[in-house]
Amino acid sequence: MNRIDVTELVDLENATQSKTVFWDQTIYEQELEQIFGRCWLFLTHESLIPKTGDFVTAKMAEDLVIVARQKDDSVKAFINSCTHRGNQVCHADSGNARSFVCNYHGWVFGTDGSLVDVPLEERCYHNNLDKSEHGLTQVRVEIYRGFVFGCFDDDTPSLEEYLGDFAWYLDTFMVGAGGGVELLGPPLKSILDCNWKVPVENFIGDAYHVGWTHAAGLNVLGGELAGLAGNQADMPYDDLGLQFTTRHGHGFGVIHDAGPSIHIKRAAYDKFLQDTGPTVTENLGPERGQLYHGHWNTSIFPNTSFLYGTNTFKTWHPIGPHQIEVWTWTLVHKDMDDDTKRTMQREAIRSFGTAGTLESDDGENMMTCTHSNRGQMARKGRMNSSMGLNYEGPHPNYPGIVGSSFIGETSYRGFYRFWAEIMAAESWSDIKKNDKHWDDIWANKDFWKDRGKS
Ligand code: UNU
Ligand code: FES
Ligand code: FE
């Protein structure tokens, strides 16, 4: 493949990106191979396929996959395309099956993807078809805290290594209180006419837009975030939260003590957090004890995002450079009673479901960020993500790089830094060579020491 030179597209020092990254078809094709072909991609949560034979269909960028619970309780995934003539084998979103029968000529695949039966095998194939060679293409699967991921590349490090320091943060709510979390499905699905990176960068670190894009909504909702509406100058922004980026482009921003702020019916959720918070501090220490009560806007590289607190959990599946499918689940703690889970699901859907009040605020921006850069002149321009440059650095108490304010672009920069790295990298062994100095670009090594926050 003739690769595009990404050094032109992402300027790490000045924190700018070419606007063509949202529009260009060749860049997109390279993303499919270099990023979606080699990263761990979120598929589903174990709680959605608890029993043998339970399955969901999922997407890995433009590839369709089937994810199924096996007899030995493991989870397997395979490409949802028949090895006979390529028809989609499973059309359901989810269910329980003993086998998958292709609609076209009737080939039958086991829930492990193996080809188990072929019509007229003896009469017309004369027993010359080797069924063991015609199973569905297997996808590598690994699970972190119940979150099932798939990967197309055998050279990609383990899911745990891929998440790396980010798992330290995820553990805050995934295991901090002991009971774990789960996703409520089925996922809502909608189409949005934007490049996949626009929502990812929005969720990874764009708290800047919250007080502006969502000003009207926040004013009506009230709660802890209402004070952000309209970007009031006297807010103590530096004390309200932080933002983080870790190896491999994952990142988030936290607004302290604002967890359920977007929920209206929140009494039971508030109580759950109050009751379980001390256990998190006990198990994981005071930093994560505090993060547990915050509102997080988060993306896991490349295309999964969530708002912990609001509890919407999303994957942005690209369909070409200018369109995505948005899949939206609700994130809840397993130990919550069913009523509380339902209430949280309704609240998450009301705000960040397909027709959610805040989701629709964002949708229009995401579309126009893409389509305003289709022109040959617009595409030559640059975008800026320099907010908070140098007000960030390694921190004594948190892994990764920490930005001093939740309104800043530290995690944007981390995302595009890894985007550029993996777009150019020949292989994962080249990426590994950079592990030791991946954070060199954040030049201000003593930022937190100088601030006296240790
Ligand atoms: O719209 C968002 N991504 C957001 C909303 C982020 C933080 C708080 C509330
Ligand atoms: Fe940020 Fe226009 S002000 S995109
Ligand atoms: Fe938003």
Side-chain angles (χ1 to χ4, degrees):
M1 193 166 95
N2 227 343
R3 282 204 208 105
I4 295 158
D5 183 5
V6 286
T7 52
E8 298 262 306
L9 301 177
V10 177
D11 179 340
L12 297 173
E13 222 157 294
N14 300 302
T16 67
Q17 300 85 28
S18 165
K19 289 179 172 174
T20 200
V21 300
F22 290 160
W23 192 263
D24 188 86
Q25 182 77 37
T26 320
I27 294 174
Y28 175 69
E29 296 297 332
Q30 189 165 321
E31 288 176 333
L32 288 184
E33 293 210 9
Q34 298 281 100
I35 296 177
F36 293 96
R38 305 194 295 182
C39 287
W40 285 102
L41 307 176
F42 173 75
L43 298 177
T44 190
H45 192 276
E46 282 202 283
S47 55
L48 294 167
I49 44 169
K51 296 189 300 291
T52 301
D54 284 352
F55 71 89
V56 294
T57 45
K59 294 188 80 179
M60 296 173 70
E62 305 214 31
D63 279 291
L64 308 181
V65 300
I66 303 171
V67 189
R69 177 73 69 176
Q70 305 298 301
K71 289 196 183 92
D72 66 359
D73 219 35
S74 67
V75 174
K76 283 193 174 166
F78 22 84
I79 301 287
N80 192 357
S81 167
C82 187
T83 46
H84 179 223
R85 299 304 308 157
N87 191 29
Q88 185 174 331
V89 173
C90 178
H91 290 266
D93 288 349
S94 62
N96 183 278
R98 271 178 300 173
S99 57
F100 300 105
V101 183
C102 183
N103 258 346
Y104 199 176
H105 310 90
W107 282 24
V108 181
F109 299 90
T111 54
D112 62 352
S114 62
L115 179 60
V116 294
D117 196 35
V118 172
L120 305 178
E121 185 179 5
E122 204 186 309
R123 301 277 298 280
C124 299
Y125 279 105
H126 312 292
N127 283 330
N128 279 332
L129 183 80
D130 184 353
K131 291 209 290 298
S132 71
E133 299 253 300
H134 292 84
L136 298 174
T137 302
Q138 297 281 332
V139 175
R140 204 178 151 197
V141 168
E142 288 183 24
I143 301 177
Y144 188 77
R145 311 289 191 211
F147 291 78
V148 182
F149 288 73
C151 181
F152 289 132
D153 187 355
D154 289 339
D155 293 334
T156 307
S158 71
L159 174 60
E160 199 164 336
E161 192 179 332
Y162 176 78
L163 294 172
D165 282 339
F166 208 60
W168 187 92
Y169 291 104
L170 295 174
D171 280 356
T172 302
F173 62 86
M174 286 190 179
V175 291
V181 289
E182 62 189 9
L183 293 183
L184 303 181
L188 307 175
K189 296 177 181 179
S190 56
I191 300 269
L192 201 58
D193 288 328
C194 71
N195 182 269
W196 66 275
K197 294 186 292 305
V198 182
V200 174
E201 65 169 47
N202 175 272
F203 273 68
I204 205 170
D206 200 322
Y208 191 22
H209 83 290
V210 176
W212 193 254
T213 295
H214 300 302
L218 293 183
N219 266 328
V220 173
L221 285 175
E224 290 90 336
L225 296 183
L228 298 177
N231 292 331
Q232 293 151 48
D234 57 353
M235 290 288 284
Y237 288 104
D238 261 13
D239 301 323
L240 296 180
L242 294 166
Q243 65 175 271
F244 308 87
T245 183
T246 67
R247 182 70 178 128
H248 304 141
H250 319 303
F252 74 112
V254 63
I255 308 172
H256 292 318
D257 298 314
S261 50
I262 288 175
H263 295 241
I264 297 169
K265 290 194 174 166
R266 53 183 277 188
Y269 185 17
D270 277 331
K271 181 167 177 345
F272 183 89
L273 291 178
Q274 291 317 315
D275 290 349
T276 50
T279 314
V280 179
T281 305
E282 210 171 286
N283 289 340
L284 303 178
E287 286 78 18
R288 286 180 283 182
Q290 182 183 32
L291 290 175
Y292 187 68
H293 296 280
H295 185 282
W296 306 18
N297 48 272
T298 316
S299 293
I300 299 174
F301 194 94
N303 66 328
T304 296
S305 301
F306 64 85
L307 303 176
Y308 167 71
T310 299
N311 293 306
T312 187
F313 191 100
K314 293 168 178 290
T315 295
W316 323 98
H317 298 295
I319 314 168
H322 315 138
Q323 198 173 59
I324 61 171
E325 232 178 86
V326 186
W327 290 22
T328 305
W329 297 259
T330 303
L331 176 76
V332 296
H333 291 266
K334 279 188 192 161
D335 287 348
M336 289 171 157
D337 58 69
D338 285 346
D339 256 13
T340 307
K341 288 179 186 174
R342 285 292 151 231
T343 305
M344 285 176 69
Q345 189 176 30
R346 278 196 295 272
E347 291 293 311
I349 288 172
R350 177 189 52 72
S351 54
F352 279 96
T354 299
T357 42
L358 291 101
E359 180 91 343
S360 21
D361 288 340
D362 289 321
E364 190 174 24
N365 290 333
M366 289 172 186
M367 293 196 294
T368 52
C369 277
T370 304
H371 284 263
S372 59
N373 297 312
R374 67 191 295 166
Q376 58 89 20
M377 197 59 201
R379 267 187 274 161
K380 291 188 180 107
R382 311 266 322 162
M383 300 182 283
N384 184 295
S385 62
S386 69
M387 186 188 262
L389 202 61
N390 291 324
Y391 286 72
E392 61 200 356
H395 192 288
N397 304 341
Y398 300 97
I401 293 294
V402 185
S404 68
S405 167
F406 76 100
I407 301 187
E409 288 163 346
T410 302
S411 45
Y412 260 75
R413 291 189 284 278
F415 174 83
Y416 279 103
R417 179 176 168 70
F418 189 63
W419 182 88
E421 184 182 342
I422 192 166
M423 283 287 276
E426 209 59 58
S427 68
W428 269 98
S429 62
D430 283 351
I431 295 170
K432 279 191 182 183
K433 282 182 203 140
N434 298 331
D435 280 356
K436 280 205 177 62
H437 56 87
W438 75 274
D439 49 0
D440 280 0
I441 193 79
W442 281 276
N444 206 348
K445 290 279 176 270
D446 294 328
F447 175 72
W448 287 105
K449 231 186 277 163
D450 295 345
R451 283 210 150 190
K453 287 198 181 170
S454 51

